Amino acid sequence: MSVVMKFGGTSVADAAAFENVARIIANERDDEPIVIVSAMSGVTDSLLAATNIASLENVFERHRAVARELLDSSRAAAFIDRLHEAADQLAALFVQNPAKHKSLQDTVVSFGETLSSTLLAEVLNQKGIRARQVDARRCIITDEEYTNAAPLMPETFAHSKSELIPALESGVVPVLGGFIGSTKQGATTTLGRGGSDYTAALIGAALGVREIQIWTDVTGVLTADPRVVPEAQTVERLSYGEAAELAYFGAKVLHPKTIQPAIENSIPVRICNSRAPHEPGTLVGPETETSPRTVKAIAHKTGVTTVQISSARMLGAYGFLRALFEVFDRHRTVVDVVTTSEVSVSLSLDDASALPAIVAELEQLGTVRIEKGRAIVCVVGEGLRGTPGIAARVFSTISDINVTLISQGASSINFTFAIEEERVNEAVTRLHEEFFGHKKAHKAQNREQ
Ligand code: ADP
Ligand code: ASP
Ligand code: MG
């Protein structure tokens, strides 16, 4: 049974990184790997920001440099021809002003993954590993929601199988760009930023692989975002539920949609470090073991807006909540956390772009209060389910910070709340110290024994 190996942008940042990835793939050769790769780091951002071909010179140069360093002269020349073709196609797209058309923007941005996957397949062949670039747009078939497309599952499963099984059967390693797909009519789409993880999960589910591996620049899912808490530690095992909550509430290491296809097909997901390939990383699976530490990890996300709607009309009336959520539906705005009291509903939004129109409609239902610049903090662990006092520990640790929108998800494995954005790093650091600090962890473990 094969494995899916997905490499993120930092894993293919330069020639040394490509070489390292080739070594990692070579070690898994007996497992029939299917490789998914992101654009080289920073390339997606450059493509999105570019308005003309000149501004992409650095992007082309980085690809050229890898080809010159790792490929023999005829392979390098063939790849550099591909770069020229890409430059011509992109130049033609810029004339049509992709900033104004989401579908053109997706086509522009798809070059990042198309080029990195073409290059990686060449590097593998150069190293004696038979590989072939497979256009992911022939596998991942989506709706027409450009920039954030949803896969059409039956089509995606059928196309992925027919594209990939013959390659696997002939002993060739298929290499696909992540993140990109196409509509049934063949127009290029993308799955949303960070979407290569999702591609890996979709391909893994379609082919019923043994394991989906996400290779990145940290050793697995850590107890908190390492950019905020440098001493965060690897969590060895997570249940699907725990991983899904962490990803949803800001742990960027996994795209939020990655877990669903894995759960539905009972495929374990392993998160590994391409810079330290022998470290075991994190294994995500069906197990719901509670670790000695009740809290497994803390996630957070910033840039959140909270909305509170208060109305006496809500009291004992039906239909109110439906009317309220229909407003968000109409404006295609995703609601994250929701809490209610007798006379008010509070909720949080990641994407506030439709907010003015939403508020205008909500005001017909009640008094509306908006708070921007909020952050969501989410404490996650299967052990939260049966452990009293977590909320008290959270609140006493950050007692000087005003907490709103407190919610314990229906699964009872997360405890979520909103605070002001400016204090989120401080709050996460203090909570991490409380739940994972050396002395505390020691004491907690002794208590369990
Ligand atoms: P890739 O390019 O490989 O997809 P990403 O940048 O998307 O990598 O995700 C990895 C990054 O996620 C890490 O470098 C880290 O900064 C960030 N991150 C945030 N929260 C966590 C967490 N809880 N555990 C691990 N990494 C996290
Ligand atoms: N290259 C895309 C991005 O930067 C997708 C990914 O890396 O997962 O968002
Ligand atoms: Mg990512």
Side-chain angles (χ1 to χ4, degrees):
M1 251 167 82
S2 55
V3 295
V4 163
M5 306 178 80
K6 177 262 171 177
F7 295 90
T10 47
S11 302
V12 288
D14 54 24
F18 269 87
E19 210 159 22
N20 182 44
V21 164
R23 247 191 321 267
I24 295 171
I25 295 168
N27 283 336
E28 294 270 347
R29 223 161 143 187
D30 296 341
D31 281 332
E32 298 188 328
I34 301 166
V35 174
I36 315 289
V37 65
S38 292
M40 290 176 75
S41 62
V43 166
T44 303
D45 288 335
S46 300
L47 286 165
L48 285 172
T51 49
N52 56 53
I53 201 71
S55 53
L56 291 175
E57 184 39 41
N58 182 43
V59 164
F60 292 120
E61 180 46 36
R62 284 176 61 204
H63 287 84
R64 249 193 318 264
V66 175
R68 288 208 185 100
E69 200 167 326
L70 300 183
L71 304 180
D72 62 32
S73 53
S74 68
R75 273 209 174 88
F79 180 74
I80 289 166
D81 280 349
R82 288 291 304 271
L83 281 177
H84 286 138
E85 270 171 44
D88 290 344
Q89 289 162 350
L90 279 163
L93 286 161
F94 285 130
V95 175
Q96 301 172 62
N97 196 1
K100 287 239 162 68
H101 308 279
K102 284 185 170 180
S103 62
L104 285 180
Q105 198 188 87
D106 275 351
T107 305
V108 167
V109 92
S110 72
F111 280 84
E113 269 69 12
T114 303
L115 291 175
S116 65
S117 55
T118 305
L119 186 51
L120 181 57
E122 284 309 309
V123 171
L124 291 173
N125 280 312
Q126 181 74 54
K127 306 238 171 247
I129 304 164
R130 283 172 60 219
R132 182 164 76 232
Q133 194 249 11
V134 173
D135 190 338
R137 291 171 292 192
R138 299 176 63 89
C139 298
I140 308 292
I141 311 300
T142 72
D143 64 11
E144 289 167 10
E145 188 78 35
Y146 295 100
T147 74
N148 192 23
L152 307 174
M153 294 300 178
E155 288 83 352
T156 295
F157 277 38
H159 285 243
S160 298
K161 281 191 211 153
S162 63
E163 290 289 325
L164 299 174
I165 290 174
L168 290 171
E169 281 175 352
S170 61
V172 168
V173 177
V175 182
L176 290 80
F179 177 56
I180 62 178
S182 79
T183 64
K184 278 188 191 169
Q185 286 69 36
T188 299
T189 54
T190 63
L191 303 176
R193 293 305 305 267
S196 294
D197 300 336
Y198 192 27
T199 305
L202 292 167
I203 297 288
L207 285 254
V209 300
R210 178 175 66 72
E211 185 170 277
I212 296 162
Q213 300 174 356
I214 306 291
W215 291 84
T216 183
D217 60 351
V218 286
T219 303
V221 178
L222 306 177
T223 46
D225 186 334
R227 292 165 295 186
V228 174
V229 184
E231 54 282 357
Q233 300 283 318
T234 300
V235 185
E236 278 168 29
R237 294 186 76 90
L238 286 172
S239 68
Y240 286 129
E242 289 170 334
E245 299 286 359
L246 289 169
Y248 192 71
F249 288 107
K252 189 186 169 215
V253 64
L254 272 185
H255 184 275
K257 292 180 185 160
T258 313
I259 294 298
Q260 199 55 36
I263 300 182
E264 281 164 12
N265 297 277
S266 306
I267 302 170
V269 179
R270 192 184 290 279
I271 298 101
C272 319
N273 189 346
S274 55
R275 294 168 183 170
H278 298 297
E279 291 181 2
T282 300
L283 183 63
V284 182
E287 284 86 352
T288 55
E289 69 186 43
T290 50
S291 73
R293 291 179 187 174
T294 312
V295 172
K296 289 276 194 71
I298 303 163
H300 73 278
K301 61 179 174 186
T302 51
V304 171
T305 302
T306 59
V307 181
Q308 191 187 69
I309 306 101
S310 313
S311 167
R313 272 168 55 200
M314 218 182 127
L315 203 62
Y318 51 81
F320 184 86
L321 287 177
R322 193 193 59 205
L324 192 147
F325 285 112
E326 275 174 359
V327 175
F328 293 93
D329 249 26
R330 272 196 294 281
H331 295 280
R332 304 170 76 87
T333 295
V334 178
V335 172
D336 272 350
V337 185
V338 183
T339 62
T340 63
S341 75
E342 279 92 357
V343 290
S344 76
V345 179
S346 299
L347 42 85
S348 74
L349 311 174
D350 269 352
D351 174 7
S353 53
L355 200 60
I358 290 173
V359 171
E361 288 188 35
L362 288 178
E363 275 170 346
Q364 289 161 25
L365 295 172
T367 313
V368 181
R369 227 181 80 211
I370 303 293
E371 281 184 277
K372 294 193 172 163
R374 308 288 290 167
I376 300 270
V377 178
C378 180
V379 174
V380 174
E382 293 280 352
L384 254 63
R385 234 190 269 276
T387 312
I390 296 292
R393 267 176 90 184
V394 168
F395 292 138
S396 64
T397 306
I398 53 168
S399 57
D400 55 327
I401 299 177
N402 185 27
V403 170
T404 59
L405 210 66
I406 301 157
S407 139
Q408 181 152 19
S411 60
S412 307
I413 63 168
N414 74 53
F415 182 71
T416 304
F417 51 90
I419 58 177
E420 62 178 305
E421 204 170 51
E422 277 92 64
R423 301 196 69 182
V424 72
N425 288 1
E426 179 194 344
V428 170
T429 304
R430 273 155 61 181
L431 288 168
H432 192 270
E433 177 59 28
E434 169 64 18
F435 289 107
F436 303 101
H438 287 306
K439 273 187 267 147
K440 292 268 172 43
H442 216 80
K443 255 196 267 164
Q445 253 161 8
N446 288 341
R447 229 182 289 139
E448 306 262 339
Q449 283 161 3

